[in-house]
Amino acid sequence: HKVLKHDLKLFPYKIQVTQELHEEDFSLRVSMCETLLEKTEEDENFLEKIIFSDESTFRLDGIVNRHNCRIWGEEKPGETFQRSHSSPKVNVWMGISSQRIHGPFFFDGNITGENYLDMLQRSFLPQLSRFEKRQAFFQQDGAPPHYAKSVRKFLDDNFNDRWIGRCGPLVWAARSPDLSPLDFFVWGFLKTKVFSLHPRTLQELKDCISDASEEITPDMCRSAIVSFKKRLQKCIDAGGTNVEQ
């Protein structure tokens, strides 16, 4: 450490994973961020009404702890890490608003339009309060299961013009996980907690995820929404590139 830092004048960098962006994505991301910020000018409580949602895969073999992994060099590296896809896994859906966490809900197999819609109908919607059903905005990304015609009809019927997504009343730009509170806060928090416990079975993994999600407090949720607003402005200032960079 002494040789690397003092003699060779190198610095430790964390491995950073970002979404590849296409040429057309930059302007679309800027446009989306500007639209959402304009909404906050029309209604100062707009961001507090959004329920952000996403899915993530949890595997029994765990993840790379990027906080404990450093690559020494004269410049920030572009290193990536490849993980095995043969480890038993569970797909997890969660939502977050400024008040609370929604879920987690589990998918043992691949997520399809059919089982995603079933989750929204049977699990997510019944948990919403009257206020949320009347005023909340539902956000999802443009993954194929989310874009199923039956899913979009469900959102039109239950949220009317209050949903954000691919071809929604409010558009969520493609390849923009860096802007979602699930991506920049929830998943990292949960995986750090869960994999420190070394679950040995899928049921233990699910139990650990459920327990860890209960540790996310309303104050943490509110802080995540504040960070989301800051990221919108950062994305605009950066011309639509990844906020993480």
Side-chain angles (χ1 to χ4, degrees), residues 20-32 171 173-176 239-241:
E20 178 185 13
L21 295 175
H22 298 171
E23 186 63 33
E24 66 273 15
D25 291 334
F26 299 100
S27 61
L28 293 175
R29 282 162 56 88
V30 169
S31 177
M32 177 191 75
V171 175
R175 292 170 286 279
S176 297
T241 192

Side-chain angles (χ1 to χ4, degrees), residues 51 100 102 123-133 136 138 159:
I51 300 173
R100 65 187 179 101
H102 299 261
S123 301
F124 170 65
L125 192 63
Q127 288 193 1
L128 296 183
S129 66
R130 289 185 178 181
F131 173 82
E132 289 170 326
K133 289 179 179 178
F138 179 77
F159 291 91

